[in-house]
Amino acid sequence: MQTALVVGGTGRTGRRVLQQLLGRGVSVRAIVRARGKLPPEVAGHPGLTVIEASLLALTDAELQGHVCGCDAVISCLGHVINLKGMFGAPRDLVTRATARLCRAIEASRPASPIKFILMSSVSVHRPRGLDTRRGAVEKAFLWMLRGALPPARDNQRAADFLLGKLGASAFVEWVAVRPDSLLEGDVSAYTLHEGLVNSLFAPGKTNMANVAQFMCELTTNPQTWTDWKGKLPVIVNSAAQP
Ligand SMILES: NC(=O)c1ccc[n+]([C@@H]2O[C@H](COP(=O)([O-])OP(=O)(O)OC[C@H]3O[C@@H](n4cnc5c(N)ncnc54)[C@H](OP(=O)(O)O)[C@@H]3O)[C@@H](O)[C@H]2O)c1
């Protein structure tokens, strides 16, 4: 049986990830700030182990203990959308959690690499101009957005950590999933792309259930992992393509 650690599992996308992983028979560990915020259908599930803690307050040794024995670590963390969540500490929630979880995996020296799956965003771009669809006006707008809004900056820095600072690791492999505007709704047809497909000014749509479905595929389907590891796939609903 596979084991996955999920952080951000009380969030809108994270709760769907928990549900779908448990539905596939994956054994799940979830680090949550408040157990009571877990959806009732997963809260008492025998496959779920809940660790009630503030993620960034855990020590390195505690984090290492939680990642040890996992096949995958999935982060669906995001800043709570209110003034305190967006402008208060920790402004670098996603980046710091990404770096600390990856370092904890490395310190645990697993026999085979552990997958790290990050919920990212289409506001995040790949380096060296690889996301060619983003024009000069859009880039300038994003530059201002990252200056004004800590969460936008945080998402880019988390991806930059995976692309750069993590370096070639014998112990961590990663995928950063980039959804477009998030929607409610069930799992539906979706497409995956190496680069951006929509402009920020004419956004596409991505069901959160589809993000969860793809993250579960990355966790359990070796071919899907081989196809996307080390990449930042953009995921959009099929009907939302231009
Ligand atoms: N909104 C969009 O259209 C969109 C599009 C693409 C990508 N994204 C990105 O996708 C990610 C997830 O989005 P979402 O809407 O599914 O998330 P969400 O519903 O806002 O959930 C955020 C999760 O992060 C946790 N969290 C927040 N602050 C924390 C802290 N200081 N310490 C520990 N945990 C903390 C929350 O825990 P609590 O329940 O305890 O608060 C919750 O589990 C975000 O990074 C977002 O930027 C969003």
Side-chain angles (χ1 to χ4, degrees):
M1 183 194 283
Q2 289 193 305
T3 300
L5 172 69
V6 178
V7 297
T10 51
R12 298 184 309 153
T13 311
R15 61 181 50 215
R16 291 168 161 91
V17 172
L18 291 183
Q19 280 165 354
Q20 292 189 31
L21 283 173
L22 291 166
R24 289 179 184 228
V26 175
S27 170
V28 182
R29 303 172 189 170
I31 302 177
V32 299
R33 294 196 284 189
R35 179 188 294 266
K37 289 181 82 174
L38 284 167
E41 57 276 26
V42 306
H45 196 289
L48 180 70
T49 304
V50 179
I51 301 124
E52 203 168 21
S54 183
L55 179 67
L56 295 180
L58 292 172
T59 65
D60 290 346
E62 285 169 329
L63 274 185
Q64 201 180 314
H66 295 313
V67 301
C68 193
C70 286
D71 300 283
V73 175
I74 302 174
S75 169
C76 292
L77 289 172
H79 296 254
V80 177
I81 304 299
N82 59 29
L83 269 182
K84 185 167 175 281
M86 289 181 60
F87 295 99
R91 288 183 165 196
D92 56 354
L93 167 71
V94 182
T95 308
R96 205 155 16 126
T98 297
R100 290 197 58 205
L101 286 164
C102 288
R103 297 303 183 206
I105 292 171
E106 291 194 307
S108 73
R109 303 183 67 82
S112 49
I114 293 179
K115 300 169 177 174
F116 182 80
I117 303 168
L118 175 68
M119 172 127 180
S120 184
S121 163
V122 287
S123 70
V124 167
H125 60 237
R126 294 179 293 165
R128 297 181 294 281
L130 279 173
D131 282 319
T132 46
R133 283 187 70 96
R134 189 154 279 158
V137 175
E138 203 173 328
K139 279 183 187 153
F141 174 73
L142 259 177
W143 182 79
M144 284 190 298
L145 205 67
R146 291 198 191 107
L149 297 178
R153 191 161 62 237
D154 190 19
N155 279 337
Q156 182 67 51
R157 286 185 177 165
D160 290 345
F161 170 82
L162 295 173
L163 285 157
K165 282 194 188 138
L166 177 62
S169 171
F171 304 113
V172 188
E173 293 177 349
W174 59 269
V175 171
V177 179
R178 294 188 289 170
D180 214 308
S181 299
L182 295 175
L183 290 184
E184 301 285 331
D186 295 333
V187 175
S188 61
Y190 61 83
T191 53
L192 299 164
H193 309 261
E194 294 217 7
L196 298 168
V197 283
N198 295 291
S199 146
L200 279 183
F201 303 123
K205 297 179 174 64
T206 312
N207 284 8
M208 288 176 274
N210 291 341
V211 179
Q213 209 273 351
F214 178 47
M215 287 181 162
C216 290
E217 280 295 301
L218 288 167
T219 304
T220 62
N221 185 333
Q223 187 58 53
T224 307
W225 187 257
T226 303
D227 290 346
W228 292 106
K229 72 177 173 186
K231 295 181 180 172
L232 295 88
V234 170
I235 172 170
V236 285
N237 292 353
S238 288
Q241 283 178 80

